Amino acid sequence: MISTLLTTLLCAVLGATIALAVLAPGSGSRGLTQESLDALAASGVSNPVTAVLLNYRGYDTLLEIAVLLLAVVTVWGLRVAPARGDRGETDRPLLASLVRLVAPVAVTVAGYFLWIGSFAPGGAFQAGAVLGGLGVLALLAGLVRVATLDVAAVRVALAFGLLVFVAASTAAMVRTGGLLAYPPGEGGTWILLIEAAATVSIGATLAALFLGGRPGACPPREGGGDA
Amino acid sequence: MPDGNVETYVLGGAALFALGLRGLLIHAHLVRKAVALNVMGAGVFLVLVALAARTPGALPDPVPHAMVLTGIVVSVCATALLLALAERVRDETGRAELPEDEP
């Protein structure tokens, strides 16, 4: 019990230190609001957060898409998808009907988020999250079955976002000489293109992560292990 | 967020971080550790958003907001990886705790 108490105490001290450090007078700064807004007209979008994500700090977003792919590769490499991924459609007919109704709405909402991201809160990650949620629902309802999954198409969808992002950054570098420096005046088009590819990838990644392992049967290893 | 409430959110974020860290260190079960890690992440995001609201002017600073968006996505991936690892540990050892943490 002593170590529990000590841990709690030390964590409390750490929390208090963080709060004090952030709230201390004189620790605030002007932030980057003015700089972001000044460069907004040239960035190609009118939503400052999207401009930061896809233009000013586009490199961070490129690496983040790579992290998504890395997570799927690692999870898929750890295990084979467990048997619950093969639940049949008739097991949960009510859920299956609901997902069938919701699916077109979800795709439309995702498309809306993707488009509106240039002007208002939204963007690739929000749209990808909606698509990912649809994928999870489809897996739960049995509308997407591991046994009949087109694994090649899923792999293409998973890598698509990163491939397009890297291709776009290379093309931009060829044309203007700077990594992810979009040609002036065309920023909005490039951003939308990259975001569209990223949306597909993010949705596929979230559903693939929910699957919990690579689809397909794996021959049992000697010495025990998972099936 | 309205001026003068920034302190509340910073304190809340720091408290969440401390609580999550305590949970991470104390609990042996891997899923509880994953949940504690998520609580820590929520605390960090709250502090970042509070920092963004603290800048002078009507519009908040968009850079910490973008960092939070990135952070949410990365924390989802980390949680998924953690849970897959926990299931793999359970497949191999039959328990969802690391060997050195078992009572």
Side-chain angles (χ1 to χ4, degrees), chain A residues 61-77 125 154-166 198 200-206 208-209, chain B residues 73-74 77-78 81:
Chain A
T61 310
L62 171 62
L63 293 180
E64 180 190 352
I65 307 280
V67 163
L68 280 170
L69 184 59
L70 186 64
V72 176
V73 166
T74 314
V75 168
W76 275 23
F125 294 104
V154 171
R155 285 172 198 248
V156 167
L158 289 172
F160 186 52
L162 184 63
L163 284 175
V164 167
F165 211 142
V166 169
V200 171
S201 250
I202 293 166
T205 302
L206 292 176
L209 284 174
Chain B
V73 174
V74 171
C77 291
L81 189 50

Side-chain angles (χ1 to χ4, degrees), chain A residues 3-5 7-8 11-12 14-16 18-19 22-24 27-33 36-37 48-49 52-53 56-57 60-61 64 67-68 71 74-75 77-79 82 84 122 125-126 202 205-206 209-210 212 221 224-226, chain B residues 6-8 10-11 13-15 17-23 25-26 47 50-52 54-67 69-74 76-78 80-88 90-92:
Chain A
S3 66
T4 312
L5 214 55
T7 312
T8 313
C11 288
L14 179 62
I18 293 174
V22 172
L23 291 176
S27 68
S29 80
R30 203 168 46 91
L32 289 169
T33 319
S36 315
L37 294 176
V49 177
V52 171
L53 267 178
Y56 311 149
R57 305 293 311 179
D60 295 345
T61 310
E64 180 190 352
V67 163
L68 280 170
T74 314
V75 168
L78 272 175
R79 329 169 60 225
R84 61 172 164 78
F125 294 104
Q126 291 83 336
I202 293 166
T205 302
L206 292 176
L209 284 174
F210 178 75
R221 293 183 331 189
D226 55 351
Chain B
V6 171
E7 289 81 21
T8 319
V10 171
L11 285 173
F17 186 80
L19 279 172
L21 183 60
R22 175 197 183 270
L25 291 172
I26 285 190
V47 169
L51 282 176
R54 204 163 62 153
T55 57
L59 284 177
D61 190 356
V63 178
H65 287 191
M67 288 186 194
L69 273 175
T70 306
I72 291 174
V73 174
V74 171
V76 165
C77 291
L81 189 50
L82 260 173
L83 292 176
L85 277 171
E87 292 221 32
R88 184 61 193 265
R90 202 209 23 198
D91 287 344
E92 300 284 330

Side-chain angles (χ1 to χ4, degrees), chain B residues 34-52:
Chain B
V35 171
L37 211 55
N38 272 334
V39 171
M40 285 172 72
V44 170
F45 300 149
L46 201 49
V47 169
L48 272 174
V49 171
L51 282 176

